[in-house]
Amino acid sequence: MSELKVLNSYTRQKEVFTPITPGHVGMYVCGPTVSGESHLGHARPFITFDVIYRYLLHLGYKVRYVRNITDAGHFEEEGRAAEDKISSKAVLEKLEPMELVQKYTNLFHWAMLQFNNLEPSIEPTATGHIVEQIEMIKAIIEAGYAYEVNGSVYFDIKKYSENYPYGKLSGRVLDEQLETSRELEGQDEKRNKADFALWKAAPPEHIMRWVSPWGEGFPGWHIECSAMATKYLGGQFDIHGGGMDLQFPHHESEIAQSTICNKETPARYWLHNNMITVNGKKMGKSYNNQIKLTEMFAGTHPLLEQAYGPMTIRFFILQTHYRSTLDFGNEALQAAEKGFKRLWEAYENLQKLDVPEQDSNAADEALNSKVNDLLSGMDEFMSDDFNTAKVLANLFELVPVINSIKDKHIAVSALSNATLNRLKKYFKEYIENILGLRSENAGDNGRLDGVLDLLIDIRKDARTKKDYATSDKIRNQLQELGILLKDEKDGSVGYSFQ
RNA sequence: GGUUCCGUGGCCGAGUGGCUAGGCAGAGGUCUGCAAAACCUUUUACAGCAGUUCGAAUCUGCUCGGGACCUCCA
């Protein structure tokens, strides 16, 4: 097994991954802000880091995967403030803050299940860790790197940068930050524009507020991740992940806070996934081009020509390396849908293949070694900064081999029985366990299969009698329902759902 | 303005010096009652210009074009 290498954003270099504690990995990934519904862009980090998590498990590591829920602090429900001005009665019809975050947390969990993402080991909420955050802020003040003004607490970037490499992760120079940061609320309270809030005093209308040593308020955006990562993974842990857009200021601030509190840099390896774009532009609030996940699954968005299932989206994302941008497009999604279907059917064909019990040599030595090379290549690609795109390419190169064996264009004996078993094992391990793919039609019950078997049987009789009117009627009408019958070479009939 | 990344064939995308990426679409063929699927074969590339090199999509410079971050952001 080749050793795992990852591209560390902190050093901008590909490095051999060596965990702090042999055999164990601590990984923290920035989770969702549950003030609204997740969109396609949000799916990328959670699928990316799910695959990374799965691969670490595959390598035999015991992984503690922590992914937070940001349910506190700096947000309000979209559109709420404006409506409240219209009518105070509307307030009664609005959701409680915790009701709001519960609603979107549930929706987020539902989406994660749709994508077949494994659950993180710990999923801490910001609201559940106010105490830890306050303690951390107190420690930073005591260390002399934060100051309180009018009930708010700010981190002193200028002082920090005198002793620590502020800006290293995001490649920023502090002098520029001090000059170019633009006007923001509460700017006048800060000693320097680059300083960021650890704790904000809550204005009277703010919907979420907690008691603190500095008065009622709410935590700054960055402190929750530092507090929760420290609590569950320790002062220094192995991997910190998130979207590239979080590099600055979020992760840079996290590093600063944690470094002061814990006297060491928090994460050894920083991994960042790139963005999903629409017409070359990042999917996000500012461009008003987000497609919500529920809209993706249902096909209800002007940009969508059809609905796209969660496995299609997962496959679509995995076809690209996680550090590259990925451009949304109907053509690309449809290609992913068809490609995934083809891969999945080959996988099913492979699992149904009977492998001879006794050991056998390969009749086709060249093909046999080609297959083995392609399989071994998948380990190398995954270990080279999780190159799922190349893994999929190898899987696809094996598809014609599998289908040819199934259709008897290639004899089973062409491959040694060891190779066949390895092929089966690798396909299962990679497709299901590492890439986390599953049938888009998971959850069909046995009754439908029974009904289809009956129809196939009737059609078979009709065909035997050359009653093609009946046989085509069955096939055509099933096709209208999205069920595709396929006459196989050996006389059997298979079906797939579209 | 500062920092930084990218520009690959109809579409999406791998790929950091020489070896077929891959998927989808297109074309031809095999198979089939007809289809579909599958299988086989196959067309269209590396933004432009100059340079380094025996050799560049891959390195350097310039030009053009686009993006990201600098504010909430996955």
Side-chain angles (χ1 to χ4, degrees):
Chain A
M1 177 70 66
S2 46
E3 54 191 1
L4 176 61
K5 292 196 256 333
V6 300
L7 204 151
N8 189 350
S9 304
Y10 193 68
T11 58
R12 286 140 214 270
Q13 289 187 333
K14 207 175 268 184
E15 300 172 355
V16 173
F17 176 74
T18 313
I20 295 166
T21 309
H24 292 256
V25 176
M27 176 163 83
Y28 188 94
V29 174
C30 289
T33 299
V34 285
S35 61
E37 215 182 308
S38 295
H39 61 71
L40 179 61
H42 296 123
R44 169 105 102 144
F46 304 126
I47 289 172
T48 296
F49 287 100
D50 181 59
V51 170
I52 288 172
Y53 177 43
R54 285 166 176 273
Y55 191 62
L56 291 168
L57 293 175
H58 164 84
L59 292 178
Y61 288 111
K62 199 167 186 314
V63 186
R64 181 177 288 172
Y65 173 21
V66 181
R67 187 183 66 205
N68 64 294
I69 297 275
T70 297
D71 60 351
H74 56 285
F75 65 84
E76 297 185 3
E77 186 178 9
E78 285 151 33
R80 177 171 176 138
E83 286 173 37
D84 284 356
K85 284 178 195 159
I86 297 166
S87 164
S88 59
K89 186 170 171 255
V91 175
L92 296 173
E93 294 164 1
K94 291 291 175 188
L95 301 172
E96 272 294 309
M98 283 311 289
E99 222 174 346
L100 172 79
V101 299
Q102 187 70 60
K103 175 182 158 188
Y104 290 117
T105 299
N106 292 345
L107 199 55
F108 173 75
H109 285 150
W110 171 81
M112 292 302 100
L113 284 174
Q114 296 299 304
F115 285 126
N116 200 26
N117 283 342
L118 298 175
E119 290 171 1
S121 322
I122 303 175
E123 194 174 50
T125 60
T127 53
H129 297 76
I130 299 294
V131 172
E132 287 82 352
Q133 294 178 69
I134 289 174
E135 288 306 309
M136 199 161 194
I137 295 167
K138 279 159 73 178
I140 296 170
I141 294 175
E142 276 169 34
Y145 285 88
Y147 53 91
E148 190 243 312
V149 183
N150 301 329
S152 293
V153 181
Y154 297 98
F155 190 91
D156 190 340
I157 286 294
K158 197 173 177 191
K159 175 160 184 191
Y160 178 80
S161 67
E162 284 163 10
N163 302 309
Y164 301 94
Y166 180 77
K168 183 177 175 186
L169 177 71
S170 54
R172 242 149 265 269
V173 180
L174 181 63
D175 288 349
E176 288 160 4
Q177 288 307 126
L178 293 175
E179 299 310 317
T180 62
S181 196
R182 68 172 201 182
E183 287 303 312
L184 282 172
E185 179 190 353
Q187 203 70 271
D188 48 343
E189 291 179 348
K190 296 182 186 176
R191 288 181 190 166
N192 288 293
K193 284 181 175 180
D195 294 352
F196 59 89
L198 294 169
W199 187 265
K200 286 288 285 180
E205 70 276 13
H206 202 275
I207 57 178
M208 284 188 153
R209 50 205 304 131
W210 288 268
V211 173
S212 81
W214 316 284
E216 279 197 16
F218 55 95
W221 177 35
H222 317 299
I223 194 71
E224 58 168 284
C225 287
S226 289
M228 294 187 285
T230 302
K231 176 161 183 176
Y232 298 112
L233 295 172
Q236 190 175 60
F237 51 96
D238 298 298
I239 296 174
H240 191 126
M244 272 183 186
D245 50 355
L246 296 182
Q247 250 181 52
F248 189 91
H250 185 55
H251 291 159
E252 201 71 73
S253 304
E254 261 189 78
I255 290 173
Q257 296 162 347
S258 295
T259 300
I260 294 306
C261 277
N262 303 323
K263 311 282 186 282
E264 53 191 346
T265 48
R268 308 229 308 204
Y269 304 93
W270 286 83
L271 306 185
H272 290 99
N273 64 275
N274 215 318
M275 302 292 107
I276 287 182
T277 56
V278 181
N279 295 323
K281 286 209 165 46
K282 173 183 167 181
M283 183 176 285
K285 254 186 233 172
S286 35
Y287 297 110
N288 200 25
N289 60 356
Q290 317 104 299
I291 307 174
K292 290 171 181 162
L293 292 175
T294 49
E295 293 172 331
M296 288 296 300
F297 298 159
T300 55
H301 186 282
L303 286 171
L304 298 175
E305 287 171 11
Q306 60 168 83
Y308 299 101
M311 282 307 113
T312 297
I313 293 166
R314 188 177 180 103
F315 181 87
F316 175 65
I317 287 172
L318 295 180
Q319 266 189 308
T320 312
H321 186 83
Y322 74 94
R323 289 186 72 89
S324 301
T325 55
L326 171 58
D327 202 43
F328 162 87
N330 280 285
E331 250 186 302
L333 260 313
Q334 283 158 16
E337 184 180 69
K338 286 181 185 167
F340 171 61
K341 192 160 168 277
R342 188 165 121 86
L343 179 66
W344 188 263
E345 286 181 9
Y347 170 55
E348 285 183 328
N349 291 335
L350 175 65
Q351 298 311 319
K352 283 184 222 149
L353 253 184
D354 289 323
V355 178
E357 285 292 324
Q358 67 279 19
D359 290 344
S360 59
N361 290 323
D364 188 338
E365 211 27 84
L367 182 66
N368 195 65
S369 55
K370 183 189 164 191
V371 168
N372 279 306
D373 288 348
L374 286 168
L375 294 178
S376 303
M378 293 174 4
D379 293 332
E380 286 169 31
F381 296 151
M382 266 320 269
S383 289
D384 185 13
D385 201 26
F386 314 105
N387 198 328
T388 55
K390 292 190 94 172
V391 168
L392 282 170
N394 275 24
L395 286 169
F396 269 106
E397 288 211 56
L398 289 162
V399 164
V401 176
I402 292 165
N403 286 334
S404 293
I405 291 173
K406 174 191 157 258
D407 288 343
K408 313 257 195 290
H409 293 139
I410 296 175
V412 192
S413 58
L415 303 177
S416 72
N417 119 317
T419 301
L420 280 167
N421 282 321
R422 186 162 180 247
L423 183 62
K424 275 193 171 188
K425 189 177 146 222
Y426 263 71
F427 259 67
K428 186 171 177 60
E429 185 64 16
Y430 268 87
I431 291 181
E432 293 204 48
N433 294 343
I434 295 175
L435 300 180
L437 297 164
R438 68 177 172 206
S439 170
E440 192 81 275
N441 308 103
D444 284 330
N445 60 36
R447 282 188 197 178
L448 180 57
D449 290 336
V451 170
L452 283 171
D453 287 343
L454 175 64
L455 285 168
I456 287 167
D457 204 42
I458 292 170
R459 177 164 172 272
K460 201 172 177 181
D461 288 344
R463 292 181 72 207
T464 310
K465 295 175 198 154
K466 297 209 190 299
D467 176 7
Y468 295 121
T470 302
S471 71
D472 286 351
K473 183 179 180 184
I474 291 172
R475 187 177 64 194
N476 294 338
Q477 296 207 353
L478 281 175
Q479 190 168 4
E480 280 175 29
L481 296 169
I483 300 166
L484 200 67
L485 295 189
K486 290 183 285 191
D487 295 322
E488 304 289 359
K489 294 275 186 298
D490 58 4
S492 69
V493 180
Y495 53 86
S496 64
F497 302 95
Q498 294 185 303

